[in-house]
Each structure stands twice: as C-alpha cells, then as structure tokens.
Amino acid sequence: GDMGVRFDNAGVDNCTVEGCDFGFFAGTICRIDGYLYECTSDNNKFINNAFHNYGIIYSNNCGLHVNNGFGTLVAHNEFYNAPQIGIDLKGTDCILEYNVMHDVMQNSGDGGALYIGGLRIGRENIIRYNLFYNIKQGSGIFTIYLDDGMCDQILYSNIFYNAGDYAVMIAGGRENE
C-alpha cells in the first residue's frame, strides 16, 4: 500500500512517536486514529520527528494524518520536501506547537501545509508557536487551511514567511480565534 506507519484504525491511545526520521515514502508516512467519538483523550504524541520526502509515488498524501484525534500532541517536528500536505488534522482538543513546515505543497493546489477539514465536529484545536516558510504560491495553496466550515480553531503566535497564497484560509468557519 501507500502508507508508511499506520496505527490501528479502531482507535489508539497512549502512543508516543519520538525522535524518528521518516523519509522517502511512496505516500503518507504516519496515520493515527484516536478516540474522538468517545470524547476521551487519546494521549497520543508525535514529538521531535522529521517527516520528509513523502508522496513520491502517491502524491495526494501527507506526512502525518491525525484522524479522529482527541487531545493529540504534535510538537517539535519538521515537515519538508513533499508534494502536498504536511499535517492533515481531523480531531478536537489537539495541540500543534513548535513545528517547522517548509517546502511542502510543491505539486498541489487547493490545500494547505496544515490542513484542518472534513470533520465538522473538530473543535478547539490549538495551533501555536509554529514556523511556516517556503510554501509554494498558486492554485489555491494556503499555509493553514481551515476547510469545510471548520469552527472554533485557535491559532496564535505562528510565524509565516513566503507562505503560500494566504497564510490562513478560513473557508466558511465561525468562531475561529
């Protein structure tokens, strides 16, 4: 298949992925499925990893896909040199902080280096203290893309340099900070 590391789609908790260098994958590097619908924290963590050179064959993929995450922490990671999304977040109460994303979205459009969408119940994700740079411009490329009416997302103290068509795209959502 096109997946690199996949954690059981029935829901995973208390999983920590730390200090890994993930590179040269055909498609998505990591996908983790949490316990969003049970409304209990999955306590999953991705800390101090490098995600790079993914989507080599299957370019419509991402470095990290957090699916149904509830309280997932993604911190101190670097995402770079990829055709599409760095992080695809579908969750609530997740924290993404101190990450660096650059040179992603190289062969794509209508997307973002950090993509949050497709899950209308995802709320109160905190996106803070991240650095985004060298995100390609054109064809609707955004650095942070709140798609599908995503609401109640909290973004602050992020740094954007040479970062897509827009640093943040809010596509129909409300109550975003």
Side-chain angles (χ1 to χ4, degrees):
D2 63 324
M3 299 297 285
V5 179
R6 180 175 178 157
F7 299 94
D8 188 341
N9 64 1
V12 173
D13 61 2
N14 297 307
C15 176
T16 299
V17 177
E18 185 172 3
C20 297
D21 185 348
F22 295 108
F24 301 95
F25 282 77
T28 295
I29 293 178
C30 286
R31 174 181 166 146
I32 189 161
D33 293 336
Y35 287 112
L36 176 63
Y37 296 103
E38 294 180 17
C39 293
T40 58
S41 178
D42 55 41
N43 197 32
N44 293 319
K45 298 177 176 101
F46 290 84
I47 303 169
N48 197 29
N49 301 293
F51 298 85
H52 60 93
N53 298 87
Y54 50 87
I56 294 170
I57 296 173
Y58 306 102
S59 61
N60 191 16
N61 283 280
C62 59
L64 174 61
H65 181 163
V66 177
N67 190 47
N68 297 327
F70 193 99
T72 302
L73 172 66
V74 180
H76 299 280
N77 300 287
E78 184 177 14
F79 297 82
Y80 63 96
N81 201 23
Q84 202 174 42
I85 297 168
I87 301 173
D88 184 357
L89 175 64
K90 291 174 177 39
T92 195
D93 286 337
C94 297
I95 299 174
L96 281 67
E97 62 184 5
Y98 302 106
N99 298 292
V100 176
M101 279 193 207
H102 62 92
D103 300 295
V104 297
M105 295 298 296
Q106 293 177 349
N107 299 327
S108 188
D110 188 28
L114 169 57
Y115 180 85
I116 305 174
L119 184 67
R120 298 228 176 189
I121 63 170
R123 302 271 186 190
E124 296 185 5
N125 294 304
I126 299 172
I127 317 304
R128 63 184 177 197
Y129 315 129
N130 299 288
L131 171 61
F132 301 94
Y133 68 95
N134 290 346
I135 310 299
K136 180 182 152 190
Q137 293 183 344
S139 301
I141 297 173
F142 313 105
T143 302
I144 298 176
Y145 192 1
L146 305 180
D147 200 6
D148 302 323
M150 291 306 298
C151 299
D152 201 21
Q153 306 298 306
I154 303 161
L155 289 76
Y156 62 91
S157 298
N158 296 289
I159 298 172
F160 303 91
Y161 175 77
N162 191 25
D165 290 339
Y166 297 99
V168 179
M169 172 60 161
I170 300 173
R174 297 182 309 230
E175 300 170 4
N176 292 301
E177 298 178 31

